[in-house]
Amino acid sequence: MYWNFPEMIKLFSGEDKSNMLSEGNFGVERESQRVTSSGNLALTPHPSVFGDKFENPRITTDFSESQIEMITPPLKSASEVYSVLKDIDAEVRDGITKGELLWPLSMPPKLPNEEDIPVAQFPDTKEGREKQIYRNGLALRYGKKMQMISGIHYNFSFDDKLIEFLYGEFKIEKSKREFIDEIYFSLTRNFLRYHWLLIYLFGASPMCDETYHSVICSELEKIEKRCPCCAGVIKEFNKFATSLRVSRFGYSDTDEKKYNVYFNSLKEYENKLKEMMRAKSEKYSKLGVYKDGVQIQLNGNLLQTESEFYAPIRFKRNIKKGETQLTALVNRGVEYIEIRILDINPFEEVGIGIVEMNFLQVFNVFCLFEEGKFIDEEEMEKINTNHQLVALLGRSKDLMLYKYDGSKTPLKDFSEDIFEKLRMVAKVMDKNSVEKIYSESVEIQYKKLYNIELLPSERIYREIKDKERSYIEFGIERANIQRGEKNERKLF
């Protein structure tokens, strides 16, 4: 990129510039399964009170008919997003079938047999049919159980004032659109390098119900065939996992490794995704595109559409009629980023807290300030390895991670290096504020390095193990607590 970290800290230390770092456009998409009072997946249709799935901008479904998706509009602060998400959450709880609950965890509730899991239904229109066939294809390729995992997507873009300031300050001899793309691609490369820290701090899916074990057993069989020496360690995941959801036992892109997307430029991003959407998959082609005259997947390629590309972070652009997300990006550039690795936190009323969102803003600015060198195949291998290590073994006190100079280091030491910079960023962001919300968010997360009992993943593990109850019993308790919190809020 055009700068380095010390230079950017110095540049924004002036009181007239620091406010630009906390401003922007923010949004959240939160998925949640509807369940019965006993923790079984609800098999009822998407409530009609929420209207057409295509027309309601706040409440729709994701993969399954039982999987509610709540969407905030873009807003000017994280606190506004949190407030609106609470309102949408309350509307959902009012609208779902009496006796049903919203599942408060990312890993699924008690699931029925594969064939009984209800895929989301859409109108018999061109768009509706495409969505239907795409979901049927996902079920065919990965199994319905894996698609029942839920999470939180956090959307963000910088304020135009910040973009204008940087564009003028560094006298860029490129169009502003090219400059904006480069900013977000540089931020994304640094996000990939360090996002393992977010998995450690916010991972909240260390365990799952036994009805999901068939997915895990299938993956363990693959691991034992490819890497027998790894299998024994990975089987310890129950003790040390932070996030099964983002591990190879959840959403995984292991079949896409040879098409690694390095996020070095929009052109590379476009070419790689198009290549994956064109590449014939022997495995998926064998499944067939039609069965008994009915289309069961969009195609037999590695990706049916670009939406099937599972990445920790993605670029987004509001689309126009006739565009796909990718063509919108190519035509008009990056508008915002979508962070996709956040688990639902069962200890938060709406699955994510304001402190977490404030920390994410500090983390995004840190990723902007870092130099953002290009990623190559060797570094991407370390990035992917660190991701899996922290997701499956993050709570192990002996965990070693790969630094990008080729060395290995304890997770805590690597984290200390990052937190040193996060503190500097937060201090600059708080310069004109009395409350110091960004510095406070950093210190709250820093404590988790030396007290794992503060980690959501450890709290969940202990709540289940120490009280000798099941994953489902824990989920039902948290769901009822959240429902109670909503009722109390209405009283006042």
Side-chain angles (χ1 to χ4, degrees):
M1 202 54 190
Y2 307 100
W3 51 69
N4 57 49
F5 186 85
E7 181 180 14
M8 293 295 275
I9 287 291
K10 183 177 179 181
L11 179 63
F12 283 93
S13 291
E15 291 185 5
D16 59 332
K17 300 184 183 71
S18 61
N19 284 348
M20 287 189 283
L21 300 175
S22 58
E23 296 171 351
N25 296 294
F26 305 79
V28 164
E29 302 162 33
R30 185 244 166 122
E31 302 155 350
S32 186
Q33 297 287 356
R34 292 182 293 109
V35 300
T36 67
S37 59
S38 58
N40 288 283
L41 186 74
L43 302 180
T44 50
H46 181 66
S48 59
V49 68
F50 301 137
D52 191 314
K53 294 166 187 169
F54 284 146
E55 300 297 328
N56 191 332
R58 291 158 56 96
I59 304 165
T60 184
T61 57
D62 194 74
F63 169 79
S64 172
E65 194 73 1
S66 64
Q67 192 173 31
I68 293 273
E69 183 171 12
M70 298 169 248
I71 306 165
T72 73
L75 297 161
K76 289 299 181 182
S77 71
S79 59
E80 288 179 84
V81 169
Y82 185 71
S83 177
V84 170
L85 185 59
K86 286 171 86 171
D87 289 341
I88 299 173
D89 186 80
E91 182 182 347
V92 167
R93 291 175 193 276
D94 281 346
I96 61 177
T97 303
K98 186 176 181 181
E100 289 182 355
L101 300 166
L102 289 182
W103 190 243
L105 295 154
S106 279
M107 295 306 285
K110 193 180 295 182
L111 296 173
N113 293 331
E114 281 269 335
E115 61 270 20
D116 295 324
I117 294 174
V119 176
Q121 300 297 302
F122 292 91
D124 189 19
T125 63
K126 181 181 178 182
E127 184 182 7
R129 286 191 295 273
E130 184 170 320
K131 283 186 176 291
Q132 193 80 59
I133 295 167
Y134 171 65
R135 282 162 173 74
N136 290 340
L138 293 177
L140 185 69
R141 291 169 174 225
Y142 311 107
K144 293 180 181 178
K145 290 185 177 182
M146 190 269 273
Q147 295 297 319
M148 301 303 283
I149 295 171
S150 299
I152 287 176
H153 296 170
Y154 185 79
N155 302 322
F156 169 74
S157 66
F158 290 110
D159 190 80
D160 289 343
K161 294 197 295 272
L162 175 65
I163 303 293
E164 290 281 357
F165 171 70
L166 292 174
Y167 188 60
E169 182 71 20
F170 289 92
K171 309 293 189 296
I172 312 301
E173 294 181 1
K174 292 183 179 180
S175 71
K176 192 189 295 183
R177 181 203 144 163
E178 290 176 301
F179 177 64
I180 292 170
D181 287 346
E182 287 190 0
I183 280 179
Y184 285 116
F185 271 84
S186 176
L187 181 156
T188 295
R189 291 192 294 275
N190 288 324
F191 181 91
L192 291 172
R193 289 179 173 110
Y194 305 117
H195 76 277
W196 57 263
L197 180 60
L198 300 182
I199 297 173
Y200 174 79
L201 296 172
F202 302 119
S205 54
M207 306 175 80
C208 62
D209 182 57
E210 60 184 12
T211 54
Y212 190 82
H213 285 180
S214 58
V215 180
I216 290 176
C217 290
S218 175
E219 191 60 31
L220 280 173
E221 285 178 15
K222 295 178 190 175
I223 295 168
E224 286 176 335
K225 287 178 183 176
R226 295 176 186 172
C227 180
C229 61
C230 303
V233 176
I234 292 176
K235 283 179 180 177
E236 296 281 285
F237 74 86
N238 261 333
K239 294 181 182 177
F240 303 119
T242 59
S243 178
L244 296 183
R245 172 179 168 265
V246 301
S247 77
R248 61 184 305 133
F249 296 137
Y251 283 112
S252 177
D253 61 355
T254 51
D255 292 329
E256 300 161 18
K257 291 300 183 196
K258 64 180 178 179
Y259 298 98
N260 264 333
V261 180
Y262 302 123
F263 297 88
N264 289 331
S265 69
L266 180 55
K267 192 65 183 173
E268 179 230 49
Y269 185 78
E270 175 194 7
N271 290 342
K272 288 281 189 177
L273 286 187
K274 285 182 174 178
E275 192 177 355
M276 286 189 279
M277 287 189 285
R278 286 193 301 261
K280 284 290 179 188
S281 164
E282 182 180 353
K283 180 169 69 173
Y284 300 149
S285 294
K286 281 181 179 178
L287 298 171
V289 176
Y290 291 87
K291 183 177 181 181
D292 300 327
V294 177
Q295 191 169 358
I296 55 176
Q297 58 177 331
L298 292 176
N299 52 59
N301 300 341
L302 189 60
L303 299 181
Q304 295 179 93
T305 74
E306 64 212 55
S307 298
E308 201 171 336
F309 173 56
Y310 299 131
I313 185 170
R314 284 203 301 218
F315 304 117
K316 301 300 286 284
R317 177 103 221 172
N318 287 322
I319 61 174
K320 296 179 179 178
K321 189 173 182 180
E323 285 184 325
T324 66
Q325 189 57 240
L326 185 57
T327 56
L329 287 170
V330 172
N331 292 340
R332 288 172 286 121
V334 179
E335 186 174 7
Y336 63 96
I337 57 170
E338 178 189 54
I339 294 172
R340 300 167 54 81
I341 57 168
L342 301 175
D343 287 348
I344 299 167
N345 186 339
F347 304 107
E348 291 286 351
E349 187 178 350
V350 292
I352 185 170
I354 190 68
V355 172
E356 181 176 346
M357 288 194 273
N358 288 338
F359 182 84
L360 288 171
Q361 181 64 358
V362 178
F363 192 84
N364 285 334
V365 174
F366 157 69
C367 290
L368 171 71
F369 281 13
E370 287 281 271
E371 190 173 347
K373 295 176 182 177
F374 279 7
I375 292 173
D376 59 20
E377 183 177 0
E378 183 180 354
E379 186 175 17
M380 184 58 82
E381 184 63 32
K382 292 183 176 65
I383 287 170
N384 291 335
T385 300
N386 284 345
H387 175 119
Q388 292 295 333
L389 284 171
V390 176
L392 290 173
L393 301 168
R395 289 182 292 123
S396 170
K397 60 182 176 56
D398 301 319
L399 182 61
M400 302 286 285
L401 299 180
Y402 289 91
K403 296 199 80 171
Y404 302 117
D405 61 4
S407 62
K408 291 184 75 174
T409 187
L411 179 147
K412 287 185 176 63
D413 291 353
F414 203 167
S415 300
E416 284 280 6
D417 294 341
I418 300 170
F419 267 98
E420 182 179 353
K421 291 184 174 181
L422 291 173
R423 284 189 172 112
M424 295 168 71
V425 170
K427 184 178 179 180
V428 170
M429 292 176 69
D430 281 328
K431 196 169 187 70
N432 297 322
S433 170
V434 175
E435 295 179 330
K436 311 301 181 190
I437 60 172
Y438 297 108
S439 296
E440 180 187 29
S441 74
V442 170
E443 295 310 316
I444 288 171
Q445 304 313 320
Y446 178 75
K447 291 176 183 177
K448 294 178 180 178
L449 291 184
Y450 298 97
N451 184 358
I452 68 166
E453 291 183 6
L454 299 175
L455 295 174
S457 54
E458 179 70 9
R459 290 181 66 189
I460 293 167
Y461 181 81
R462 289 297 163 202
E463 282 276 336
I464 293 172
K465 289 296 182 183
D466 291 353
K467 295 183 181 180
E468 298 182 344
R469 54 183 170 175
S470 70
Y471 170 83
I472 296 299
E473 288 170 335
F474 169 74
I476 293 169
E477 178 185 87
R478 294 310 309 176
N480 279 312
I481 288 172
Q482 290 176 350
R483 183 180 63 174
E485 287 173 351
K486 283 287 183 267
N487 290 338
E488 284 175 19
R489 221 161 52 85
K490 286 180 190 176
L491 292 175
F492 299 97

